Amino acid sequence: MALGDDGWVRGARQTPSPNCDEREPGSAPELLVIHNISLPPYRYGGSGVEQLFSNRLDRAEHPYYQGVYQLRVSSHFFIRRDGQLLQFVPVGKRAWHAGVSSWRGREKCNDFSIGVEMEGCDFEPFSEAQYRTLGALSRELRRALPLSAIAGHEHIAPGRKTDPGPWFDWKRAQADSGLGF
């Protein structure tokens, strides 16, 4: 796994999302934000997340999609249960993953973060393969970017978001990445 000058990670399956834009001049990623997602909820291995992030989610495919098909969201990365890494947005661009958010008094976390979605939910552990991929990814990103902290969506949008949830192993993620809160 290696981050190229173009902001794409070699070794990740690249699936470009239109749901991104340019970072503010002089803004660089400092925060790694961990999320969880599964579409439909609690089902893994399907194409729902990729379809959502590429604005191709078919609202007729599942009743849950009626409420989310129109969302324009993305994340930089998605780690499947088997450890497969997908990338939707180059790290030099702003992915639309954090929404209304704040970290250490700074608003709009999308401006200075990298979003990583873990395939999962708040109610069960993540897989060993996912932690291995997250560790390798976070070390590579830390090597190439000025990342200084790791947090969950729950930390930057408390009361609004709960992911990655109580099953996420923060001690391991911090140790593997070399990043603290």
Side-chain angles (χ1 to χ4, degrees):
M1 181 177 310
L3 180 61
D5 292 339
D6 59 357
W8 293 94
V9 170
R10 308 301 178 250
R13 192 174 98 215
Q14 298 174 7
T15 306
S17 171
N19 304 326
C20 63
D21 56 8
E22 297 298 324
R23 292 187 188 274
E24 295 295 321
S27 178
E30 302 170 31
L31 178 64
L32 191 63
V33 178
I34 308 300
H35 305 261
N36 76 46
I37 191 170
S38 55
L39 288 176
Y42 318 114
R43 292 193 194 158
Y44 307 137
S47 59
V49 173
E50 291 177 70
Q51 291 172 358
L52 177 67
F53 289 173
S54 61
N55 303 337
R56 295 180 293 111
L57 193 62
D58 179 359
R59 67 183 185 174
E61 191 174 316
H62 189 275
Y64 182 81
Y65 294 173
Q66 291 292 323
V68 299
Y69 79 94
Q70 78 288 358
L71 295 176
R72 297 300 176 247
V73 295
S74 63
S75 189
H76 291 90
F77 299 97
F78 176 51
I79 303 175
R80 291 195 172 276
R81 303 294 286 183
D82 64 2
Q84 180 187 25
L85 179 65
L86 285 75
Q87 186 174 2
F88 297 94
V89 175
V91 299
K93 289 195 173 189
R94 180 173 42 201
W96 302 343
H97 63 95
V100 177
S101 53
S102 176
W103 176 251
R104 297 180 179 166
R106 290 178 68 188
E107 303 291 321
K108 301 179 182 177
C109 293
N110 285 339
D111 292 349
F112 57 92
S113 67
I114 299 290
V116 178
E117 294 277 0
M118 304 282 282
E119 187 174 37
C121 67
D122 288 5
F123 308 110
E124 61 187 340
F126 296 92
S127 73
E128 176 64 25
Q130 286 178 293
Y131 283 112
R132 281 194 307 268
T133 299
L134 178 61
L137 174 64
S138 59
R139 285 188 300 275
E140 176 59 16
L141 294 175
R142 187 168 168 248
R143 181 197 64 73
L145 302 171
L147 293 176
S148 61
I150 186 172
H153 205 184
E154 63 193 318
H155 302 117
I156 64 170
R160 187 173 72 83
K161 294 296 182 175
T162 59
D163 58 311
W167 289 97
F168 188 76
D169 187 343
W170 283 108
K171 288 182 182 181
R172 179 172 182 178
Q174 288 175 320
D176 287 351
S177 68
L179 297 168
F181 278 116

